[in-house]
Amino acid sequence: QVQLMESGGGLVQAGGSLRLSCAASGRFFRTNVMVWYRQAPGKQRELVAVITSGGTTNYADSVKGRFTISRDNAKNTVYLQMNSLKPEDTAVYTCKINVDLGTDYWGQGTQVTVSS
């Protein structure tokens, strides 16, 4: 069994920063690709950022230049540094970590609210 624990969400003013964390624990040998998604009220879930096991990253156009995804393999943790936040970044952010031979596990989601 694998559990993901997210932290770091909250309320911030426009222009501010937040750092999300997502740590995997349990029975697995390795982590593979790690992903952050978000879903705003009334909207479909959106892929925000991806990082491969080799450190290659990719971002949604809406967050390029403002968000940075990173990982600490020793801690089985993925981070999302969010700078220059905008009200339209308000959403529930959820991590997904792929482990071993390809099983995905999801975090519980953390609320990010950006006030104008």
Side-chain angles (χ1 to χ4, degrees):
Q1 190 74 353
V2 177
Q3 298 81 36
L4 302 189
M5 180 61 68
E6 296 184 27
S7 61
L11 173 64
V12 64
Q13 288 188 333
S17 298
L18 285 174
R19 189 194 195 206
L20 306 183
S21 299
C22 174
S25 62
R27 298 174 63 87
F28 59 94
F29 292 101
R30 69 175 189 183
T31 56
N32 303 313
V33 64
M34 298 177 167
V35 188
W36 285 100
Y37 293 88
R38 70 184 180 185
Q39 187 166 19
K43 294 187 176 181
Q44 289 191 331
R45 185 171 61 199
E46 173 189 22
L47 188 149
V48 176
V50 182
I51 185 166
T52 68
S53 57
T56 300
T57 60
N58 200 6
Y59 298 91
D61 288 342
S62 58
V63 307
K64 281 181 181 176
R66 300 188 298 121
F67 290 11
T68 302
I69 189 171
S70 61
R71 62 190 290 162
D72 184 333
N73 291 328
K75 296 181 179 179
N76 296 312
T77 299
V78 60
Y79 305 97
L80 187 68
Q81 178 67 43
M82 305 185 294
N83 298 329
S84 302
L85 282 162
K86 304 175 181 180
E88 51 263 44
D89 294 318
T90 296
V92 175
Y93 285 71
T94 306
C95 62
K96 183 181 76 173
I97 297 180
N98 184 278
V99 305
D100 293 340
L101 297 181
T103 303
D104 288 330
Y105 291 91
W106 292 81
Q108 79 279 10
T110 185
Q111 177 69 46
V112 171
T113 302
V114 184
S115 63
S116 57

